[in-house]
Amino acid sequence: MVQRISETLDFEIKRWAAGKEGNLRALLSTLQYVLWPECGWQPVSLTDLIVGASVKKVYRKATLCIHPDKVQQKGANLQQKYIAEKVFDLLKEAWNKFNSEELF
């Protein structure tokens, strides 16, 4: 049962991240498609992520929203925790790539 749920969620997360791997701007601007409504994420458009400083600000907001500890505190269910953890890791990976390529 749990494995089937994680397979379904993995598929959803992979589908969301497809073609956006390592692209922090693209991941941040589409977060609303993979997160659940109660997590409180406010969608951000790609045009708001042109400047490096804006990307940094939105990334910080996103990590606060989906940090595994924060999600736990908000009383998220197992599926939400799983999504948060996977998305958090993808964003962190993209953030590292962004930081190595962008000059602020």
Side-chain angles (χ1 to χ4, degrees), residues 37-68:
E38 303 80 22
C39 84
W41 177 251
Q42 298 295 314
V44 179
S45 77
L46 207 45
T47 54
D48 293 329
L49 295 169
I50 294 169
V51 183
S54 305
V55 177
K56 188 176 182 178
K57 200 167 97 181
V58 173
Y59 171 75
R60 290 259 154 79
K61 270 188 194 170
T63 54
L64 281 172
C65 190
I66 60 164
H67 190 283

Side-chain angles (χ1 to χ4, degrees), residues 8 19 26 34 54 69 78 88:
T8 304
V34 76
S54 305
D69 293 341
L78 212 58
F88 186 80

Side-chain angles (χ1 to χ4, degrees), residues 25 50-54 56 97-104:
R25 287 178 172 96
I50 294 169
V51 183
S54 305
K56 188 176 182 178
K97 187 174 187 285
F98 175 81
N99 262 339
S100 68
E101 295 171 353
E102 293 273 332
L103 297 168
F104 289 103

Side-chain angles (χ1 to χ4, degrees), residues 75-101:
N77 66 33
L78 212 58
Q79 285 143 294
Q80 293 167 339
K81 287 180 200 169
Y82 188 86
I83 291 169
E85 204 172 292
K86 296 286 181 185
V87 171
F88 186 80
D89 289 343
L90 284 168
L91 286 180
K92 199 161 62 173
E93 213 173 277
W95 171 251
N96 292 336
K97 187 174 187 285
F98 175 81
N99 262 339
S100 68
E101 295 171 353

